[in-house]
Amino acid sequence: MFRKDFKSKGYTQVKSSDRKKLRQQFQQTYPSIPDDILSLTIPLGKGEDFTSCKLLLSTGDDILVYSTNKIPWFFIVEDIKTKTERILPTVYLLWKYPDLLKLKFHTHKHVFNYLMNGADLMLPGLLLPPGGVTLQTFRHVQRDELCSICLDDNRYPIGIGQTTMDGEDMYMSGMKGRGVVPLHIYQDALWNIGPRSEVPYEKEQRQLFVTDQEKINENTEQACAQASNDINSLNLNEESISASPSNEVPDHPESMDEILDTIFFYLCQRKAKSYELPLLASHFYTIMQDCVPGLTLDLKLSSHKKFSKFLQYQQQINNLISLEETKPGVLAIISFNLINNPQLDHFRTPAWLKNYLTKASNTPAATTESDQPMIKYTFPTITELWKTNSRVNEILGCSTSTHYLRPDEIRQAVRSYVMKNNLNQEKQVKLDPILSRLLKTTNQSSMLVSWNELNTAVFDAMSPSTELLFAHLEQPIRINGHLQSIELECIDRNRKRQTFIRHLDIYQIDLNELCKRIRQGASVSAVINEADEAKRTGRIIMAQGNQVSFVTRLLKDDYGVPSKHIKEI
């Protein structure tokens, strides 16, 4: 619906009486919405901003979009079949309350590119429940029902859509064919008029679809009865059990302390000589985490609780490493004591660790996130544009509709107008009535202006805009105004220095990946803060300490951001 650009007719403040009617209509459509979210979406207080905007779509349809502080929360369309109005939420509202729509479908992450190009969500692309699909799985799904579309296990939707068939037809079709028609998705033209924030992430906890419960209960009862009979028929002989050694290899360690000690000794024995010293403790912890794919290290489940205490234990008790603070609060390993160490000499890799390493080497998909190659970021092609209006349309040879022109096109059009009307006089321009109106001069007969003054007046009468063309998007993104540079600012707060990185969302840089690189490269904490809607800065990355120089070098070298788009405050 919003894959192509639309025309808007400006924002209009909604009357208080209309707000109350909309609020009642919204509560009837979505009775589960909390009061605080409803008040945020449709404010009733005096002086609070709540506007409507009429949009003319490329299909010729008219819709109304309702916003607060330039954030579109919902829009109203006419149902073709019932000839009634339907209130549909935007992704911005679903990110505030992801369970607003009862029906929700999850699909694979790579399917998003097809949806962006206008494809429907096909039934083979859905993530199905673990119990398989039965006639009862989608029993509550109705045809033409509104639903949310999510990626992988994220509970926050990337769009909304409408089902093409009911649940019984989905099952009878063998889960083939068109399942959902997208109506509005993340990164489309409607998302673009808002703050352009990214999709938040939180793992989906509730079970969306279940298999036939009666069949599950029946199978469970049969399994329990069979297990009970098997136990009663067993003839356990303690002597034979103790006499016959078990040939099974334990596939799981007994405690988190054992896991930490084993991986630490394994790395010291096999890879310590290849490490460049001094080695930051935070970096070494990342190495330990990535050592065994599929095995999670949780220090809170160990007796040490903190990684620094674990390293101090290895230094004092086992005498395997030497630690030193390279700067206040930053612990590093300065040497490995590998020669004539009885603990290390007697260490042998246990069977459970061998099993994990063997599975990881035989299964290519079992690589950790840090081992996966990162998709290289490509800096967008940025084009400076200027929006025409009635003051300059006749000079530039444009129709009454709005056009977006490059600066060189504007200068060429001005020159063509001057030459066509014989206004060029000795490297100056003679004013005619149209140019006099533009320059706000009354006596045009004797007035001459330079080419620079004329071009400046034309540009001053137009509105600037910027077009960004990304390699992964089919259509460019157009924003009003000049493009904001990425801001890097170091601020002292409560005797601690923090580096703030702003305006990253505009350039569609993966903030999670950038935080990971800052943590690994600078060995400091880096987190993502929510968007500042008042300043419209998008989400912000906050890094510990003064990391302005490091982040600047990172953006230039790894992300290809030109220096003119990086601003150090």
Side-chain angles (χ1 to χ4, degrees):
M1 182 178 287
F2 301 101
R3 192 166 68 92
K4 296 182 179 179
D5 288 339
F6 47 74
K7 296 180 181 179
S8 62
K9 297 187 177 180
Y11 291 90
T12 305
Q13 286 291 334
V14 182
K15 299 178 182 179
S16 58
S17 57
D18 293 335
R19 296 188 187 193
K20 293 178 181 178
K21 292 179 183 179
L22 272 174
R23 193 182 179 98
Q24 292 175 356
Q25 188 179 357
F26 202 98
Q27 283 181 313
Q28 292 174 359
T29 308
Y30 306 104
S32 64
I33 187 170
D35 292 338
D36 57 337
I37 303 296
L38 184 60
S39 299
L40 175 68
T41 307
I42 309 176
L44 297 178
K46 292 184 179 180
E48 291 187 277
D49 180 69
F50 182 59
T51 58
S52 65
C53 180
K54 191 173 184 180
L55 303 181
L56 178 61
L57 304 182
S58 58
T59 57
D61 299 325
D62 289 338
I63 67 168
L64 281 175
V65 177
Y66 291 87
S67 313
T68 60
N69 299 319
K70 302 295 183 181
I71 303 177
W73 296 117
F74 63 93
F75 57 98
I76 296 180
V77 299
E78 183 181 359
D79 194 325
I80 300 176
K81 294 183 179 179
T82 62
K83 299 298 180 181
T84 57
E85 292 183 342
R86 297 180 67 186
I87 299 179
L88 306 182
T90 67
V91 290
Y92 294 108
L93 178 55
L94 293 177
W95 294 342
K96 292 291 184 182
Y97 185 56
D99 298 328
L100 181 67
L101 301 179
K102 296 180 181 179
L103 184 59
K104 183 183 292 188
F105 290 102
H106 287 254
T107 184
H108 301 278
K109 193 173 183 179
H110 67 271
V111 176
F112 174 70
N113 293 330
Y114 297 99
L115 299 180
M116 274 295 298
N117 291 329
D120 295 333
L121 180 57
M122 310 301 286
L123 292 177
L126 298 180
L127 294 178
L128 301 178
V133 179
T134 67
L135 186 60
Q136 300 297 322
T137 302
F138 302 109
R139 61 188 180 277
H140 58 285
V141 177
Q142 302 295 325
R143 184 174 180 176
D144 297 330
E145 185 177 358
L146 199 64
C147 63
S148 301
I149 303 173
C150 303
L151 297 182
D152 293 338
D153 61 348
N154 191 1
R155 71 185 292 248
Y156 289 98
I158 55 101
I160 62 170
Q162 185 173 284
T163 57
T164 60
M165 60 182 79
D166 57 26
E168 183 178 353
D169 290 337
M170 290 182 179
Y171 175 73
M172 297 304 295
S173 68
M175 295 304 292
K176 294 182 180 179
R178 295 163 58 244
V180 179
V181 177
L183 301 177
H184 156 56
I185 61 174
Y186 159 70
Q187 287 189 354
D188 64 8
L190 181 58
W191 166 86
N192 191 39
I193 67 174
R196 297 184 290 275
S197 52
E198 298 296 319
V199 184
Y201 175 80
E202 183 179 336
K203 189 174 182 180
E204 182 70 69
Q205 300 295 333
R206 64 191 182 108
Q207 189 173 359
L208 301 176
F209 303 105
V210 295
T211 53
D212 191 344
Q213 194 61 39
E214 295 180 358
K215 185 176 180 181
I216 293 175
N217 293 339
E218 182 182 351
N219 294 339
T220 304
E221 291 176 0
Q222 292 177 358
C224 292
Q226 183 65 33
S228 177
N229 294 334
D230 292 343
I231 292 174
N232 293 332
S233 63
L234 286 175
N235 184 15
L236 300 177
N237 189 340
E238 295 182 359
E239 293 181 359
S240 61
I241 293 175
S242 59
S244 59
S246 176
N247 294 325
E248 294 184 0
V249 177
D251 60 349
H252 199 281
E254 294 182 358
S255 64
M256 185 55 63
D257 284 357
E258 180 184 351
I259 295 175
L260 292 171
D261 288 338
T262 302
I263 295 177
F264 180 81
F265 275 88
Y266 176 80
L267 291 175
C268 289
Q269 193 177 68
R270 302 292 183 91
K271 302 182 179 182
K273 294 180 180 179
S274 62
Y275 296 146
E276 184 178 348
L277 300 176
L279 178 64
L280 293 176
S282 57
H283 190 197
F284 186 67
Y285 181 58
T286 304
I287 295 174
M288 289 184 62
Q289 285 180 312
D290 297 341
C291 176
V292 187
L295 190 62
T296 305
L297 302 184
D298 192 347
L299 285 165
K300 293 182 180 179
L301 299 179
S302 69
S303 60
H304 308 287
K305 304 301 180 184
K306 294 183 178 181
F307 191 62
S308 59
K309 292 185 178 180
F310 169 76
L311 293 179
Q312 291 170 0
Y313 170 82
Q314 299 297 340
Q315 179 185 22
Q316 297 171 2
I317 305 301
N318 296 323
N319 194 27
L320 274 170
I321 55 175
S322 298
L323 301 174
E324 186 179 292
E325 281 194 356
T326 55
K327 51 185 177 180
V330 179
L331 195 66
I333 301 174
I334 58 173
S335 66
F336 287 90
N337 306 322
L338 308 177
I339 301 175
N340 297 328
N341 190 299
Q343 295 284 347
L344 192 62
D345 294 340
H346 290 88
F347 173 77
R348 297 294 181 269
T349 305
W352 64 263
L353 181 57
K354 290 180 179 179
N355 288 342
Y356 270 106
L357 295 173
T358 303
K359 290 178 182 178
S361 60
N362 293 337
T363 308
T367 57
T368 59
E369 183 180 353
S370 61
D371 295 328
Q372 296 177 357
M374 189 198 79
I375 300 175
K376 184 174 178 59
Y377 173 81
T378 304
F379 192 75
T381 302
I382 299 174
T383 306
E384 181 186 6
L385 300 176
W386 293 83
K387 186 177 179 180
T388 64
N389 52 46
S390 58
R391 295 180 60 190
V392 297
N393 278 340
E394 192 170 353
I395 301 173
L396 300 178
C398 300
S399 60
T400 55
S401 59
T402 302
H403 293 268
Y404 291 88
L405 302 177
R406 299 192 308 271
D408 60 318
E409 294 175 334
I410 296 172
R411 293 188 182 93
Q412 182 62 37
V414 172
R415 184 174 185 83
S416 299
Y417 176 83
V418 171
M419 295 302 179
K420 181 180 178 181
N421 293 278
N422 297 320
L423 301 176
N424 186 24
Q425 292 188 2
E426 297 180 359
K427 298 184 180 181
Q428 287 186 317
V429 179
K430 183 180 178 181
L431 299 183
D432 64 356
I434 296 175
L435 297 181
S436 298
R437 196 182 314 119
L438 176 66
L439 292 166
K440 298 179 181 180
T441 0
T442 56
N443 186 14
Q444 73 270 14
S445 59
S446 60
M447 177 65 73
L448 295 174
V449 295
S450 64
W451 282 97
N452 189 29
E453 290 179 60
L454 179 58
N455 287 327
T456 302
V458 172
F459 280 103
D460 289 343
M462 302 171 68
S463 302
S465 62
T466 308
E467 189 177 81
L468 294 90
L469 180 60
F470 292 90
H472 63 283
L473 296 180
E474 182 180 352
Q475 297 292 334
I477 295 176
R478 188 178 295 156
I479 61 175
N480 294 326
H482 295 291
L483 184 64
Q484 292 278 358
S485 299
I486 299 175
E487 292 183 357
L488 306 177
E489 183 179 10
C490 184
I491 300 176
D492 289 332
R493 285 188 174 181
N494 300 325
R495 299 181 181 179
K496 291 184 179 179
R497 285 190 172 182
Q498 287 182 317
T499 301
F500 289 76
I501 312 169
R502 303 184 182 92
H503 303 298
L504 291 167
D505 282 331
I506 301 176
Y507 299 88
Q508 297 196 6
I509 293 176
D510 189 343
L511 270 65
N512 292 312
E513 179 64 30
L514 182 57
C515 281
K516 178 182 175 183
R517 289 179 170 230
I518 294 173
R519 285 193 289 264
Q520 291 180 349
S523 301
V524 296
S525 171
V527 296
I528 302 173
N529 197 13
E530 289 300 319
D532 189 345
E533 296 177 358
K535 297 182 179 179
R536 296 178 66 87
T537 59
R539 293 178 300 165
I540 301 172
I541 289 183
M542 296 189 301
Q544 210 173 26
N546 186 355
Q547 308 301 332
V548 172
S549 300
F550 173 78
V551 175
T552 300
R553 186 170 64 254
L554 186 64
L555 291 173
K556 290 181 180 179
D557 298 344
D558 293 5
Y559 289 86
V561 181
S563 300
K564 65 179 181 179
H565 294 294
I566 301 175
K567 181 180 179 182
E568 298 181 8
I569 301 178

